[in-house]
Amino acid sequence: MNNLQSLDFLAQANLISLSCLILTENKLTVINDNIFHFLPALTYLDVTENHLTCDCSNSGFLVWALSSVHTLVHVGPGNRCMYPISKKGTMLLDMDLNSCWMDTSFLCCVSTTGLVLLTVLGAFSSHFLSWRLVYAYYYLATSRYNTRRRKGSEVYRYDAFISYNVRDEAWVNGEMLPALEAERDWRLCLHHRDFQPGRAGWLAGLVAD
């Protein structure tokens, strides 16, 4: 009995010729099966009378112990579960290892499916709904702006200055202005309608007196 709580020291011990390892009556709770890769000559391992945890943290060690053809592993009847509490007193070798692989596989399946769905949804939205998303963004932004403008003090005479090509003047006057000024209650500045001759700079007309 050496009160060992971990076998990680074996990775640097250079015990390549060790064939028999007795670890009875220690304080081992979790055994990392990768440690035994550093013991290529090991043919017998005894881990009886240790309080090994009966959960998936020991699943790798149990699989190795039950399947190894090179090393005889003696777990023994003395190794009964101490943790978790729901399994206290049961035999370590009776632990259901399938639940560990099922949990991992299920999580991987859910994660992969979710990632694929998000990728497909993002590609679909970007290709077919990009302009709708942009419109929705600006619609919400202007709605918030209107709300703040109604609550706050009015500093500016106009909400926006409209710059357009003369060839679009009919559309601006016939469609855009009614839609924004009449329906949205915006105050727009158009140079031919709202610029005041003689004012010092065109920006002067945008600021409320």
Side-chain angles (χ1 to χ4, degrees), residues 31-202:
I31 299 178
N32 183 0
D33 59 296
N34 292 323
I35 290 297
F36 301 109
H37 296 163
F38 299 95
L39 305 174
L42 188 66
T43 58
Y44 181 78
L45 173 66
D46 190 343
V47 293
T48 56
E49 301 299 332
N50 283 279
H51 299 315
L52 296 178
T53 300
C54 296
D55 60 18
C56 294
S57 59
N58 273 321
S59 59
F61 167 69
L62 288 177
V63 170
W64 174 82
L66 295 172
S67 61
S68 177
V69 296
H70 178 69
T71 304
L72 175 63
V73 182
H74 184 42
V75 177
N79 271 336
R80 293 183 177 273
C81 300
M82 297 296 293
Y83 180 85
I85 300 301
S86 59
K87 296 181 180 179
K88 185 175 181 179
T90 60
M91 299 298 299
L92 176 67
L93 293 177
D94 291 337
M95 192 178 96
D96 182 15
L97 297 177
N98 290 327
S99 61
C100 297
W101 315 136
M102 287 177 61
D103 290 343
T104 304
S105 301
F106 178 74
L107 289 176
C108 289
C109 179
V110 171
S111 301
T112 304
T113 303
L115 181 60
V116 170
L117 289 177
L118 286 176
T119 302
V120 172
L121 181 60
F124 176 83
S125 300
S126 176
H127 185 72
F128 295 102
L129 302 176
S130 58
W131 70 270
R132 294 181 183 272
L133 295 176
V134 172
Y135 173 80
Y137 168 78
Y138 283 108
Y139 179 83
L140 292 175
T142 54
S143 297
R144 292 184 60 188
Y145 169 77
N146 286 336
T147 301
R148 290 198 303 267
R149 183 168 64 85
R150 292 190 183 97
K151 293 180 178 180
S153 60
E154 298 184 2
V155 178
Y156 296 98
R157 178 175 298 174
Y158 303 104
D159 295 308
F161 170 72
I162 306 300
S163 176
Y164 59 89
N165 190 291
V166 67
R167 289 176 296 182
D168 299 323
E169 186 171 0
W171 178 83
V172 170
N173 291 322
E175 297 188 34
M176 190 183 73
L177 288 182
L180 295 180
E181 290 188 329
E183 298 178 14
R184 301 291 299 173
D185 193 28
W186 280 28
R187 291 170 297 181
L188 304 178
C189 178
L190 281 72
H191 67 280
H192 70 277
R193 183 188 70 179
D194 301 303
F195 275 16
Q196 301 178 24
R199 295 296 295 270
W202 68 273

